[in-house]
Every structure is written in structure tokens, then in C-alpha cells.
């Protein structure tokens, strides 16, 4: 069974690949018991759909694959800390855990933070609405969001 860190690395790799194709650097993996059910990348640039965040795309693909509108028993691995829209959708679908690689502080220098949306919505993140944890994938924010070289092999 892949580790939480391995699944999160997969999400970060998806984010990197999406950026290389002109998309925004966000990816997500939805898994149940370590088994990948669906993945998603941020598609807002190409789809013009502002709700096409990586977590939303993974959520939609996962519930289609499961043939039910529930993520009970599922964990999501997101390259970036989920924004309020995605976090709300995950809570409403009953996702059990969230793991992420980069937080809003990491993303802010690159204009990719959703902290302003949390503030406008007056949504505090403490305490979080579901278990949410940051894991170290060995990839730095500058490697995903900036111009630092992508590691040739990072064990993903
Ligand atoms: Zn989002």
C-alpha cells in the first residue's frame, strides 16, 4: 500500500505536469485505504470554469467512479492547501482526511494563496473542519511554483 507521502508526491507530480502544460500548479489524488480512486488537476485556465480546481476535479471523478455522491472513507492528497470552495465540497461529501504539501504561506509569493478568500468568507481554519495535515514530500515551493529545477527522481 502506498504511503500517505507517496500519494501526496503523486499529487505534486500532477501539479508539476499540469503547470508544464500551461495549467496552474495544482494536483490532487483521492484514495480509499491507500487505493487511488481518482486524480485531478486544476483546469480553470483551459476550461474557463473557476470551479475546476484540482480537488473538485478529483472529487467529481471519484464519486463518478464510486457511483455514489459520497467520499466516506476517502482521503485526499492535494499539492496545495485546499481553498474554501474545495474544503467545503470535501466536508459536504464526507471526505475523512486531507493531506497537503504546500500551504498558503508557501503559495503567497507566487500569487497562488487562497488565504484572502478565507478572510473574505470569515472562515477560520483553526480548528479545521476535518483532519488536515501537511506532509513533507521533499519538493520545495520554488520547485513547484518557481523556477528551481525539478528533481530528476524523487521516488514518487
Ligand atoms: Zn480549490
Amino acid at each position: 500500500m502506498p504511503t500517505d507521502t507517496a500519494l501526496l508526491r503523486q499529487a505534486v507530480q500532477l501539479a508539476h505536469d499540469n503547470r508544464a502544460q500551461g495549467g496552474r500548479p495544482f494536483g490532487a489524488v483521492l484514495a480509499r485505504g491507500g487505493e487511488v480512486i481518482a486524480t485531478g488537476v486544476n483546469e480553470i485556465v483551459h476550461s474557463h470554469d473557476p470551479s475546476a480546481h484540482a480537488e473538485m476535479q478529483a472529487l467529481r471523478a471519484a464519486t463518478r467512479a464510486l457511483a455514489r455522491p459520497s467520499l466516506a472513507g476517502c482521503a485526499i492528497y492535494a499539492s496545495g492547501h485546499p481553498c474554501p470552495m474545495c474544503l467545503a465540497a470535501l466536508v459536504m461529501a464526507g471526505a475523512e482526511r486531507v493531506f497537503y504539501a504546500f500551504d498558503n504561506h508557501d503559495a503567497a509569493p507566487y500569487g497562488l494563496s487562497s488565504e484572502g478568500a478565507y478572510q473574505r468568507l470569515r472562515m477560520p481554519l483553526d480548528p479545521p473542519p476535518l483532519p488536515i495535515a501537511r506532509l513533507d514530500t521533499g519538493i520545495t515551493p520554488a520547485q513547484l511554483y518557481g523556477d528551481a529545477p525539478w528533481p530528476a527522481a524523487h521516488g514518487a
Side-chain angles (χ1 to χ4, degrees):
M1 190 166 102
T3 64
D4 291 327
T5 302
L7 291 166
L8 187 56
R9 279 187 188 144
Q10 187 179 339
V12 172
Q13 182 71 51
L14 286 168
H16 171 262
D17 295 348
N18 196 49
R19 182 186 179 202
Q21 291 166 18
R24 287 163 65 88
F26 296 103
V29 172
L30 253 162
R32 185 172 57 178
E35 179 195 354
V36 175
I37 296 166
T39 65
V41 295
N42 184 298
E43 297 180 46
I44 72 171
V45 173
H46 299 305
S47 70
H48 309 297
D49 176 355
S51 74
H53 285 193
E55 301 94 318
M56 298 292 285
Q57 301 301 79
L59 174 153
R60 288 168 174 138
T63 53
R64 274 197 300 271
L66 294 169
R68 63 175 206 200
S70 165
L71 292 177
C74 298
I76 190 160
Y77 302 81
S79 60
H81 184 288
C83 76
M85 171 180 68
C86 293
L87 199 60
L90 291 165
V91 168
M92 293 184 74
E96 298 203 346
R97 294 186 68 85
V98 176
F99 297 95
Y100 66 95
F102 301 116
D103 64 15
N104 284 322
H105 179 75
D106 297 323
Y110 306 96
L112 297 169
S113 170
S114 63
E115 188 176 354
Y118 275 103
Q119 289 172 352
R120 287 196 300 282
L121 291 162
R122 295 170 180 79
M123 284 176 63
L125 276 168
D126 186 24
L130 75 175
I132 181 164
R134 181 181 184 166
L135 299 178
D136 182 3
T137 60
I139 306 292
T140 66
Q143 286 173 316
L144 180 59
Y145 299 147
D147 296 323
W150 191 251
H154 57 81

